[in-house]
Amino acid sequence: WLKTTTTSSAQVALAQGSVGRTASYIGYNNAQTGWVWTVDESATFAKSDADATINTWTHVCGTYSAARTPKSILFINGVAQTQTAAGTSAEGTVRRIGASTATAAGSKFNGSLDDLRVYNRALQPSEIALLAAGHSPETKIMAGTFYQSIIQ
């Protein structure tokens, strides 16, 4: 769940990459005018159909499938968005909440974050709809360490 207080800047809610570069992230992109999800460094985005509404809680979920044709899909409040993205999943050992992994000060999230989750598989649309409605699908959560960014 994300609640931004501004749409005038790029903001990263959850990122993975390495020190000095952000390989994949979910957040808000003012140049794309909406919520975005990207899994590689090619700057191809799965994007929300509408711009974010400031000071409004929004369920934002991204899935990635490495099937025959890799595909990223962004879901807003349980609904799959029209613009999807292709790309190869990027690897990285640094994970950050509320900021980019490229720099300590990069693309900080302006607003509030709640109930962030990372799963070890792509959720089904029905499971994402359950999450957006405030329920939890029965699945195991991926083990890993996230580094809390300093958000000011």
Side-chain angles (χ1 to χ4, degrees):
W1 289 93
L2 308 176
K3 179 170 70 170
T4 185
T5 57
T6 181
T7 55
S8 64
S9 62
Q11 305 168 56
V12 175
L14 182 63
Q16 178 173 316
S18 60
V19 176
R21 73 175 184 66
T22 296
S24 60
Y25 78 92
I26 195 163
Y28 181 80
N29 186 309
N30 59 315
Q32 296 290 321
T33 320
W35 299 108
V36 295
W37 162 236
T38 184
V39 296
D40 62 21
E41 295 177 282
S42 67
T44 58
F45 299 98
K47 180 187 156 324
S48 61
D49 294 338
D51 198 359
T53 303
I54 61 170
N55 299 315
T56 300
W57 282 107
T58 305
H59 186 264
V60 180
C61 180
T63 64
Y64 172 76
S65 172
R68 201 174 315 170
T69 305
K71 187 175 187 178
S72 300
I73 302 172
L74 182 69
F75 292 79
I76 301 296
N77 295 321
V79 178
Q81 302 300 285
T82 305
Q83 182 177 322
T84 62
T88 306
S89 178
E91 298 294 324
T93 59
V94 176
R95 297 174 184 97
R96 280 213 174 108
I97 296 172
S100 165
T101 57
T103 64
S107 303
K108 289 183 179 177
F109 192 81
N110 296 303
S112 300
L113 310 169
D114 189 33
D115 197 19
L116 296 180
R117 300 177 186 207
V118 176
Y119 293 88
N120 63 352
R121 64 181 178 83
L123 297 179
Q124 296 299 311
S126 60
E127 294 173 306
I128 295 167
L130 280 173
L131 286 169
H135 306 286
S136 292
E138 291 188 25
T139 189
K140 294 181 180 178
I141 297 176
M142 180 174 82
T145 303
F146 282 87
Y147 298 94
Q148 175 65 47
S149 299
I150 298 172
I151 302 172
Q152 296 185 19

